[in-house]
């Protein structure tokens, strides 16, 4: 697919500069990229703040939402906000990320962290193709946790790319986006 805008969402309590030179490298491949800085927010607050920043950039559609780490489970809720604003989402990419899981009735109301309710996963999600980029660089989760996410992504039928240096991560990500 050819995205209108690639939106890079960092992990909650992280910062956009955590992406390093990835945004600029993706731009060098001809992609329109925004990397909103969403400070000190989790769950629904993260979704609301990210959505406001995305709206302020007036992005071209379709959007490709790219989530890193704990931003992964928030992608469906960010997409829901984008759809409500008439901005279509053409794909999702999880980079060393946790995956969204539908909430079950017996789960607690405060699973979003820091007393916030978790972000919702719409019943019709995923509404666009998904992919997973495993860079093996994630140091925040144990290898078994990340391998579980990769295995689950494969079971869901998503394209999974294992990034192997010396290729640039931007190259692996842009090629994965192209397959969506």
């Amino acid at each position: 697919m050819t995205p209108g805008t690639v939106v890079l969402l960092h992990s909650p309590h992280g910062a956009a500069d955590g992406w390093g030179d990835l945004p600029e490298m993706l731009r060098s491949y001809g992609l329109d990229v925004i990397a909103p800085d969403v400070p000190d927010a989790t769950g629904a607050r993260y979704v609301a703040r990210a959505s406001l920043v995305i709206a302020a950039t007036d992005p071209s559609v379709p959007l490709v939402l790219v989530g890193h780490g704990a931003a992964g489970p928030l992608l469906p809720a960010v997409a829901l906000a984008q759809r409500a604003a008439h901005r279509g989402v053409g794909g999702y990419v999880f980079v060393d990320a946790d995956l969204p899981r539908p909430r079950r009735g017996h789960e607690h109301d405060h699973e979003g962290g820091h007393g916030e309710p978790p972000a919702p996963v719409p019943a019709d999600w995923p509404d666009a193709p998904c992919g997973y980029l495993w860079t093996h660089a994630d140091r925040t989760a144990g290898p078994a946790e990340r391998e579980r996410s990769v295995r689950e992504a494969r079971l869901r039928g998503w394209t999974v790319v294992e990034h192997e240096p010396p290729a640039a991560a931007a190259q692996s990500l842009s090629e994965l986006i192209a397959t969506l």
Side-chain angles (χ1 to χ4, degrees), residues 85-170:
H86 306 287
R87 283 187 289 277
V89 175
Y92 302 90
V93 177
F94 299 82
V95 178
D96 297 328
D98 303 327
L99 300 182
R101 289 189 172 61
R103 210 167 147 237
R104 294 179 293 275
H106 66 278
E107 293 177 354
H108 294 50
D109 286 335
H110 296 289
E111 291 182 355
H114 303 286
E116 292 185 37
V121 176
D124 65 345
W125 192 88
D127 56 330
C130 299
Y132 196 101
L133 178 61
W134 189 15
T135 70
H136 300 273
D138 185 23
R139 306 281 187 250
T140 60
E145 292 173 52
R146 198 56 64 225
E147 287 174 13
R148 188 182 79 221
S149 290
V150 170
R151 189 172 46 254
E152 187 176 330
R154 284 189 173 117
L155 287 171
R156 291 181 181 188
W158 300 353
T159 302
V160 174
V161 173
E162 292 190 45
H163 168 70
E164 295 292 336

